[in-house]
Amino acid sequence: MRNRLAIAFVIITVFLDMVGIGLIFPVLPQIVETVGKTDLASATLISGWLFFSYVGMQFIFGPLIGNLSDTHGRRPLLLIPLFGRAVDYLLPAFAPDLLWLFVALLFSGVFGACRKW
């Protein structure tokens, strides 16, 4: 029974993460266009750099988080990124400029690395 609950917890965690990413992909260029006060072509390019920074942070922090999960256990390192992602969903909502969007995606990439080992 305990094993089933652990598997359900992991599945729900991954599902929530994929829903969040799936929601931001189509609307990020419009958000960047509004916040950055640029045209759609520039906003699309900036959105690409935003996602590059997100994936870059996952690449950099993935091995570090993997080592931490080996020493402290995987469950705590699944609970921490859930909190981090909740905070991360609020940062872009209140971003006054593009710098805050980059900070939010960098922050999200660090916590996203917790799920990639």
Side-chain angles (χ1 to χ4, degrees):
M1 181 66 175
R2 184 173 182 210
N3 202 12
R4 283 186 174 175
L5 290 175
I7 290 172
F9 177 76
V10 170
I11 289 173
I12 290 170
T13 301
V14 171
F15 174 75
L16 288 174
D17 184 47
M18 292 299 111
V19 167
I21 293 295
L23 288 173
I24 196 68
F25 271 146
V27 297
L28 189 62
Q30 287 83 13
I31 293 171
V32 170
E33 187 179 17
T34 303
V35 172
K37 297 172 183 60
T38 64
D39 59 339
L40 187 58
S42 298
T44 305
L45 182 64
I46 293 169
S47 297
W49 282 107
L50 280 167
F51 281 116
F52 176 76
S53 65
Y54 169 75
V55 173
M57 293 304 279
Q58 285 188 342
F59 179 76
I60 292 169
F61 280 89
L64 173 70
I65 301 296
N67 288 337
L68 286 174
S69 72
D70 290 341
T71 58
H72 298 292
R74 299 198 190 284
R75 186 171 184 186
L77 288 173
L78 279 175
L79 294 174
I80 292 169
L82 282 177
F83 172 75
R85 293 293 287 199
V87 170
D88 173 58
Y89 290 145
L90 292 174
L91 282 175
F94 298 108
D97 56 9
L98 287 175
L99 178 66
W100 277 100
L101 283 177
F102 272 99
V103 168
L105 266 288
L106 291 173
F107 187 74
S108 177
V110 171
F111 285 106
C114 295
R115 297 173 313 278
K116 304 296 184 212
W117 11 260

